[in-house]
Amino acid sequence: MPIDDTLSTSAERVQAALRARGLPCRVINLTQSSRTAEEAARAIGCEVGRIVKSLVFRTKSSRRPVLVLASGSNRVDPKKLRSLVGEKIGRADATFVREHTGYAIGGVPPLGHPKPLETIVDRDLLTFGTVWAAAGTPYSVFPLASGAIGGLGQVADVRA
Ligand code: 5CA
């Protein structure tokens, strides 16, 4: 895993958010892209299931954001999500993602957003010891104990 030892402002913000939550995680800047789950797995040298996808959805009627933290090898079932959230839901566009998370697609972290987001955690992530999540940019990640990821939201079965 080639590491670049300078962190961008976005990655520093995620590092600060981790510290503020008392999570002893260290943000790593990569020289290879981790923009998608597949790229992240390749850059880190781990199985894609251990990559945390931070997927933003928007509820249809109240238009609120919902963050789903999904295992990199899973697709999210919209029907399961709908029943968890209590209303119809669709994917967010890039503008909505940035507005509600403070980060651009490809680097959206699972925490450290301007306002806390309703968050649902794919229970499959809890089957791994360590998982890896985006740290604010498409070239940064951090490792996290899967027990800690369960603390970031409501753990549920969301797999399609
Ligand atoms: N850095 C990696 C994992 S460490 C990462 O951020 N992966 S991700 O899966 O959380 O984010 C990429 C996801 O953003 C894609 O799976 C895709 O569902 C979503 N996405 C990509 N382009 C768009 C777009 N134009 N509009 C809405 N969502 C998009």
Side-chain angles (χ1 to χ4, degrees), residues 33-41 44 50-57 67-68 70 72 75 91-95 97 104-109 132-142:
S33 169
S34 55
R35 190 177 55 83
T36 66
E38 290 74 20
E39 286 181 353
I44 293 161
R50 288 181 187 265
I51 303 298
V52 179
K53 293 192 286 195
S54 300
L55 304 174
V56 181
F57 292 82
L67 178 66
V68 179
R75 290 189 63 82
R91 289 303 293 269
D93 66 20
T95 306
V97 170
I105 285 168
V108 175
W132 293 80
T137 81
Y139 285 87
S140 55
V141 291
F142 65 91

Side-chain angles (χ1 to χ4, degrees), residues 1-94:
M1 176 168 44
I3 293 173
D4 166 357
D5 59 12
T6 50
L7 290 191
S8 68
T9 312
S10 292
E12 288 286 6
R13 279 163 58 210
V14 175
Q15 182 67 79
L18 287 163
R19 213 176 293 125
R21 279 188 88 112
L23 291 169
C25 306
R26 179 86 197 281
V27 170
I28 294 168
N29 222 42
L30 301 165
T31 56
Q32 267 172 280
S33 169
S34 55
R35 190 177 55 83
T36 66
E38 290 74 20
E39 286 181 353
R42 217 174 305 134
I44 293 161
C46 72
E47 54 201 303
V48 71
R50 288 181 187 265
I51 303 298
V52 179
K53 293 192 286 195
S54 300
L55 304 174
V56 181
F57 292 82
R58 190 177 80 153
T59 63
K60 295 269 188 197
S61 53
S62 59
R63 297 178 175 211
R64 63 200 159 90
V66 176
L67 178 66
V68 179
L69 305 180
S71 165
S73 53
N74 287 352
R75 290 189 63 82
V76 174
D77 181 340
K79 289 199 198 92
K80 288 180 180 170
L81 199 52
R82 182 186 173 170
S83 74
L84 285 163
V85 168
E87 60 175 295
K88 276 196 185 168
I89 198 152
R91 289 303 293 269
D93 66 20

Side-chain angles (χ1 to χ4, degrees), residues 77-160:
D77 181 340
K79 289 199 198 92
K80 288 180 180 170
L81 199 52
R82 182 186 173 170
S83 74
L84 285 163
V85 168
E87 60 175 295
K88 276 196 185 168
I89 198 152
R91 289 303 293 269
D93 66 20
T95 306
F96 189 85
V97 170
R98 187 185 272 284
E99 181 187 343
H100 290 280
T101 68
Y103 298 88
I105 285 168
V108 175
L111 79 178
H113 312 118
K115 276 195 282 178
L117 296 175
E118 178 177 350
T119 302
I120 295 170
V121 181
D122 177 354
R123 67 178 183 185
D124 286 356
L125 283 170
L126 276 62
T127 63
F128 299 102
T130 300
V131 295
W132 293 80
T137 81
Y139 285 87
S140 55
V141 291
F142 65 91
L144 179 69
S146 61
I149 201 138
L152 297 181
Q154 177 193 356
V155 177
D157 169 14
V158 291
R159 184 175 65 194

